[in-house]
């Protein structure tokens, strides 16, 4: 079957738009897990509704948790004893494939996990080994990957465990989120090279504390949680700041102004670092009563930066760098080879396919700007690669993005939002 191509719109004038982003995927899926483990019912308000979060709600429902839709678009979550047998489809969602197995150890009965073909290639062995060390019975056929079955015994001993989380911060967050419900709590000790995307672990810790859990993270690479109850409460989901990347990038490469509504003044989201990154690349931003206002001139500067903590921003930074007036060096992101696709190889190949000059290195990308031309920009079923192609298409006529629908993973109506972004410019 032929994958549809989306002709990326070209900006005929500077952009001038206000964007209301849907909720954060990272916050939404953490909030759902915490609500499912709470002492009583609660709401997850203003959640993201996308493939990844719908997979999470379906997984929780399969385990016996009630997740009801409200007329306001929120989710009302009613905890219940977790039960099997159950089947959980993780799709290709890292948060689902890593956050739900620890929770499944608390269920009574077998819980089978499977997903998209790519999910079987993504690392899960650190979580599997850690859960076994903490007392879980898991049948993965010795592969350390999906598919697998968690043989839930109604609880988990817990205790101290060493884990190599150098491939993904989600390995740590997965154990911390369910840790308060383990009989002995959990002490997670990271061994190995540095943990990528540390802001995501900080997000997990902050949300646990807000639920009344005492988290001791005073020692580097060690997180301690005593067994405790989680408070039932309402959790309001922030806008997904990482999803602001293509819209801010539009102002940067095409010139003009984009205002993102409700940008928080303080947050643990990695996407907040876009303010610094894109300012260094030639833009300017300020907080206004309407939100964060970002302005660009259409002139982009190259950047040398370690993106280890904010790897998810790499595809959009790389796209902007391909349009810069000087070279860029993006480092610290070897772990991106294990994401939805090998993002480093994919970005280099697709930028070069449009006439660019990009090289993927052991831990990053070297990008030397060249005049680009139109062509097909393959998405690899990766939402962030697809939005990178859309940004390039703003100023490079003839770019066609393969399977733009894959953006539905975190931005359910990206094509519509992109058209709205350009509408004032096209009208002008």
């Amino acid at each position: 079957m032929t994958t549809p191509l989306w002709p990326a719109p070209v900006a005929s004038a500077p952009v001038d738009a206000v964007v209301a982003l849907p909720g954060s995927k990272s916050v939404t899926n953490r909030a759902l897990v915490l609500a499912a483990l709470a002492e009583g019912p609660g709401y997850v308000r203003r959640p993201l509704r996308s493939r990844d979060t719908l997979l999470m709600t379906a997984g929780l429902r399969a385990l016996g948790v009630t997740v009801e839709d409200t007329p306001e678009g929120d989710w009302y979550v009613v905890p219940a004893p977790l039960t099997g047998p159950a089947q959980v489809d993780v799709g290709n969602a890292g948060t689902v494939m890593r956050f739900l197995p620890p929770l499944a150890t608390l269920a009574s009965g077998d819980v089978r996990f499977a997903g998209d073909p790519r999910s079987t290639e993504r690392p899960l062995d650190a979580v599997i080994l850690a859960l076994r060390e903490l007392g879980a019975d898991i049948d993965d056929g010795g592969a350390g990957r999906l598919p697998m079955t968690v043989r839930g015994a109604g609880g988990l001993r817990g205790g101290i465990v060493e884990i190599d989380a150098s491939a993904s911060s989600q390995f740590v967050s997965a154990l911390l989120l369910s840790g308060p419900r383990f009989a002995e709590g959990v002490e997670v000790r990271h061994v190995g090279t540095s943990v990528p995307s540390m802001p995501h672990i900080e997000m997990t810790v902050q949300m646990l504390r807000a639920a009344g859990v005492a988290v001791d993270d005073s020692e580097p690479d060690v997180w301690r949680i005593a067994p405790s109850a989680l408070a039932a409460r309402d959790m309001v989901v922030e806008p997904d700041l990482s999803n602001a990347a293509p819209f801010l990038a539009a102002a940067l490469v095409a010139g003009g102004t984009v205002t993102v509504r409700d940008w928080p003044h303080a947050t643990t989201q990695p996407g907040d670092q876009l303010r610094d990154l894109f300012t260094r690349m030639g833009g300017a931003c300020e907080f206004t009563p309407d939100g964060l206002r970002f302005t660009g001139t259409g002139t982009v500067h190259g950047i040398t930066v370690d993106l280890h903590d904010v790897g998810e921003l790499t595809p959009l930074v790389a796209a902007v760098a391909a349009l810069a007036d000087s070279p860029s060096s993006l480092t610290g992101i070897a772990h991106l080879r294990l994401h939805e696709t090998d993002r480093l190889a994919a970005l280099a190949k697709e930028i070069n396919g449009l006439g660019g000059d990009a090289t993927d290195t052991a831990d990053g990308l070297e990008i030397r700007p060249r005049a680009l031309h139109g062509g097909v920009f393959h998405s690899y079923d990766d939402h962030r690669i697809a939005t990178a192609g859309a940004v390039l298409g703003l100023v490079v006529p003839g770019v066609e993005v393969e399977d733009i629908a894959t953006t539905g993973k975190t931005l359910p109506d990206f094509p519509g939002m992109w058209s709205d972004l350009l509408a004032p410019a096209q009208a002008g």
Side-chain angles (χ1 to χ4, degrees), residues 288-361:
T288 73
D290 292 329
L292 182 79
R293 183 165 62 201
F294 184 86
T295 303
T297 64
T299 299
V300 179
H301 307 312
I303 190 171
T304 296
V305 62
D306 184 337
L307 295 174
H308 186 69
D309 284 347
V310 291
E312 66 196 58
L313 305 182
T314 299
L316 275 299
V317 174
V320 171
L323 301 169
D325 58 11
S326 58
S328 294
S329 178
L330 315 181
T331 61
I333 43 179
H335 59 284
L336 295 190
R337 296 192 184 280
L338 302 172
H339 277 227
E340 281 81 346
T341 187
D342 179 340
R343 283 180 169 167
L344 300 183
L347 286 164
K349 182 177 180 181
E350 297 312 307
I351 289 172
N352 293 344
L354 300 183
D357 183 3
T359 304
D360 58 314
T361 66

Side-chain angles (χ1 to χ4, degrees), residues 17 33 51 65 138 181 225 233 236 246-247 262 295 298 330 366:
V33 171
R51 187 183 185 215
V65 178
I138 299 175
R181 292 286 304 274
I225 293 179
R233 62 196 186 91
V236 180
F247 302 100
D262 302 320
T295 303
L330 315 181
E366 300 292 328

Side-chain angles (χ1 to χ4, degrees), residues 18 49 99 101 129 158 162 203 230 254 298 327 343 350 410 420:
V18 177
R49 290 176 179 268
F99 292 178
L129 292 172
E162 290 188 344
M203 177 189 294
L230 287 86
R343 283 180 169 167
E350 297 312 307
T410 55
D420 291 343

Side-chain angles (χ1 to χ4, degrees), residues 328-403:
S328 294
S329 178
L330 315 181
T331 61
I333 43 179
H335 59 284
L336 295 190
R337 296 192 184 280
L338 302 172
H339 277 227
E340 281 81 346
T341 187
D342 179 340
R343 283 180 169 167
L344 300 183
L347 286 164
K349 182 177 180 181
E350 297 312 307
I351 289 172
N352 293 344
L354 300 183
D357 183 3
T359 304
D360 58 314
T361 66
D363 77 334
L365 290 165
E366 300 292 328
I367 301 172
R368 295 157 292 276
R370 291 171 55 177
L372 302 182
H373 56 69
V376 175
F377 195 90
H378 299 91
S379 68
Y380 304 86
D381 196 28
D382 187 322
H383 56 131
R384 301 205 193 278
I385 301 287
T387 55
V391 168
L392 289 170
L394 282 177
V395 294
V396 180
V399 173
E400 295 182 294
V401 180
E402 174 199 48
D403 191 20

Side-chain angles (χ1 to χ4, degrees), residues 26 30 165-173 194-204 223 242 268-270 273 306-314 332-333 335-336 339 343:
S26 299
R30 284 165 173 78
S166 56
S168 175
S169 65
Q170 291 176 354
F171 297 163
V172 174
S173 290
S194 59
V195 180
S197 303
M198 278 296 291
H200 278 122
I201 297 180
E202 294 164 9
M203 177 189 294
T204 300
W223 299 265
S242 293
T268 55
Q269 287 193 61
Q273 293 196 33
D306 184 337
L307 295 174
H308 186 69
D309 284 347
V310 291
E312 66 196 58
L313 305 182
T314 299
I333 43 179
H335 59 284
L336 295 190
H339 277 227
R343 283 180 169 167

